[in-house]
Amino acid sequence: MGKAARDQSARDRIKAQREEQLQKERLRRIVTITAAAVVALGAIGAGWWYAAQGSKSEQVTEALAPITVAADGSVVMARQGVEKPVLEVYEDFQCPACKALEETSGATIKNLAAEGKAKVVYHPITIFPQEMNKGVTRGNSVRAGAASRCVPGGAPWMKYHDKLFKEQPSETVEGFKVEDLAAWGEDVGVTAPGFATCVTKQEKATQHIDYSAKILESAKLKGTPTLKLDGTEVDNDVAFKPGELRKAVLDAAK
C-alpha cells in the first residue's frame, strides 16, 4: 500500500471514530431528554392523581358512630369519649349546595366520626327568607327540618337525613309534603312511636324555626352549607374535596 493510500485509510478511520462519538453523544442526549420528559410527565400525572384523589368520594363505613339528638335539635355523631376536634355541619335540606356537599363529602364526615377522629355536630336549619319564591322554598325547608326533629336519634336519623337530601325537590315547586315525609321515615326504618303524627302535624316546626333564627345569628353564617372545624369556617375548596377535608380534620386532631 502506498503512502497516499495509507493516509486515506487513516483519514477514513478518524472520520469513522468521530461519527461513532457523535452518534454516542446523540444517543446520550436523547436518553437524557427522554428521562427528563418522563419525570416531568410523572410530576404532572402525580398532580392530577392527587387532585383526583382529593376529590374522590369515600365509601360510607357500615358502623356509624353513635348518633344523639340534643334538646335544641342539633345532632351529635361521635364515638364515646371523642370531644375533639369538633366538625360542625350547618345545612338546609332544601339547599341544593347542601345536597352536593352530602353527595361529595358526606361519607368522609360519617367515616371520620366512626373512626373516632372527630366529633361531628349537625345543625339542620332553614336559611331561606319567607320572600323567596313566595314562601315555597322556605316552606319546603321548614317541613323537612321539622320532620327530621321527629326522629329521636340513632342510625335511623342518619338514614332519614340522607333520604331527605335524596328526595330534595326543586326550589321553585312545593315539595317535601308531609305525607311523603312520613312515608319516607317508614321506608328507612324509623319506628319511633308518634313519628308519623309528629311529621304530618308539624309538631316541631316552631322549634325548628326558632333554632334556625338563633343559629343564623350566633354562628354568623353567610349561607349553607357551612362547615366549621373547632369554630373556624372551612373553605369550600376544602369542604367539597373529601381528601383535603379528611386531612384538615386529621391535622386538627394532632
Side-chain angles (χ1 to χ4, degrees):
M1 178 182 297
K3 182 178 183 302
R6 288 196 299 272
D7 290 345
Q8 181 62 45
S9 178
R11 285 194 295 270
D12 290 344
R13 286 197 302 272
I14 292 171
K15 182 179 180 180
Q17 289 172 355
R18 287 177 177 174
E19 287 292 337
E20 183 178 0
Q21 290 174 350
L22 288 172
Q23 184 65 19
K24 288 181 178 178
E25 181 63 19
R26 291 190 193 101
L27 288 173
R28 186 187 68 78
R29 289 180 179 178
I30 290 172
V31 169
T32 301
I33 292 170
T34 302
V38 169
V39 171
L41 288 172
I44 294 171
W48 279 107
W49 181 88
Y50 179 81
Q53 290 300 108
S55 301
K56 184 178 180 181
S57 295
E58 298 180 12
Q59 295 295 316
V60 181
T61 181
E62 293 184 4
L64 292 173
I67 298 170
T68 56
V69 179
D72 63 2
S74 59
V75 180
V76 177
M77 180 170 64
R79 290 176 58 177
Q80 185 175 1
V82 176
E83 295 295 334
K84 289 284 186 178
V86 177
L87 180 62
E88 294 180 279
V89 183
Y90 297 86
E91 58 187 5
D92 188 318
F93 291 119
Q94 181 56 61
C95 162
C98 298
K99 179 179 180 178
L101 178 68
E102 174 59 31
E103 292 173 343
T104 304
S105 299
T108 299
I109 294 170
K110 296 178 179 73
N111 288 342
L112 287 167
E115 295 162 14
K117 303 299 184 182
K119 175 182 179 179
V120 177
V121 183
Y122 290 93
H123 300 277
I125 60 173
T126 289
I127 197 169
F128 299 105
Q130 185 64 41
E131 296 76 19
M132 186 171 182
N133 296 324
K134 298 181 179 180
V136 170
T137 302
R138 180 178 175 83
N140 291 350
S141 172
V142 169
R143 285 191 295 277
S148 73
R149 285 173 169 259
C150 296
V151 186
W157 186 90
M158 185 57 68
K159 290 180 180 179
Y160 194 64
H161 165 277
D162 294 350
K163 180 70 170 176
L164 291 176
F165 278 123
K166 182 179 179 180
E167 301 292 345
Q168 185 186 90
S170 166
E171 294 178 276
T172 60
V173 300
E174 185 174 341
F176 283 141
K177 297 181 180 180
V178 291
E179 296 81 4
D180 293 332
L181 290 167
W184 294 336
E186 183 177 348
D187 291 344
V188 300
V190 177
T191 58
F195 168 78
T197 301
C198 178
V199 172
T200 56
K201 291 187 176 182
Q202 288 284 279
E203 293 177 352
K204 305 289 186 179
T206 299
Q207 294 176 19
H208 175 74
I209 292 170
D210 290 346
Y211 180 72
S212 298
K214 178 182 177 182
I215 285 295
L216 288 172
E217 181 179 354
S218 63
K220 296 179 172 57
L221 300 181
K222 299 175 183 177
T224 55
T226 294
L227 297 185
K228 288 190 176 184
L229 184 57
D230 287 337
T232 300
E233 187 170 331
V234 178
D235 191 277
N236 278 342
D237 287 341
V238 174
F240 281 86
K241 291 181 180 178
E244 293 190 18
L245 177 59
R246 171 175 283 276
K247 182 178 183 302
V249 173
L250 294 181
D251 287 347
K254 294 178 181 178

